[in-house]
Amino acid sequence: MEEKLHKKMLSDGQADIPIQMMSLTERDGRITPQWFRLETEEHEVMLCRIEQVVSRDEKRYVGIREKQFICKIRMGNICKTLEVRYNVETQRWRIFQFL
């Protein structure tokens, strides 16, 4: 399963994959992603732990406000850097792209 996921989903470039995110919210409102789950094409759920949040920013695209996080994750033996985004209006998380 990991092999298929790594070849297809973890290739560099835009991904737009919806995810379930576990995050920590500080008293000042700052969000820190901790880990997420995603569903593979075979309908299996994979857990990915975020090892480091490299940067965080807030973006506006065509009036849509999103919080952007550049994160390093580990999936088995593979380390990957990706961009995840949180849509403030819809309160949904997604993997925007793999870097």
Side-chain angles (χ1 to χ4, degrees):
M1 175 184 78
E2 264 186 28
E3 200 63 33
K4 286 182 184 177
L5 181 71
H6 292 154
K7 285 180 184 172
K8 263 191 149 173
M9 294 178 77
L10 295 183
S11 58
D12 291 348
Q14 198 147 351
D16 199 28
I17 302 168
I19 56 175
Q20 294 177 325
M21 178 67 76
M22 175 60 75
S23 63
L24 177 67
T25 305
E26 301 290 339
R27 290 184 308 187
D28 63 1
R30 188 173 81 143
I31 298 171
T32 303
Q34 301 293 306
W35 55 265
F36 62 88
R37 293 189 295 198
L38 60 88
E39 186 177 353
T40 66
E41 290 178 350
E42 291 80 27
H43 304 290
E44 296 171 307
V45 177
M46 289 201 66
L47 177 74
C48 303
R49 298 208 179 275
I50 296 172
E51 293 195 339
Q52 179 185 8
V53 177
V54 177
S55 69
R56 61 184 80 222
D57 198 5
E58 190 161 319
K59 302 284 185 187
R60 275 193 190 271
Y61 294 101
V62 205
I64 298 170
R65 198 170 121 213
E66 292 186 315
K67 294 188 181 287
Q68 172 197 51
F69 301 88
I70 305 298
C71 303
K72 290 188 178 187
I73 64 165
R74 178 174 296 281
M75 294 177 68
N77 299 344
I78 294 180
C79 288
K80 197 72 178 168
T81 303
L82 53 87
E83 177 182 342
V84 293
R85 292 191 181 180
Y86 174 71
N87 185 309
V88 175
E89 185 178 312
T90 64
Q91 300 180 349
R92 291 187 178 166
W93 288 89
R94 65 190 169 115
I95 297 173
F96 182 71
Q97 65 181 338
F98 292 95
L99 306 171

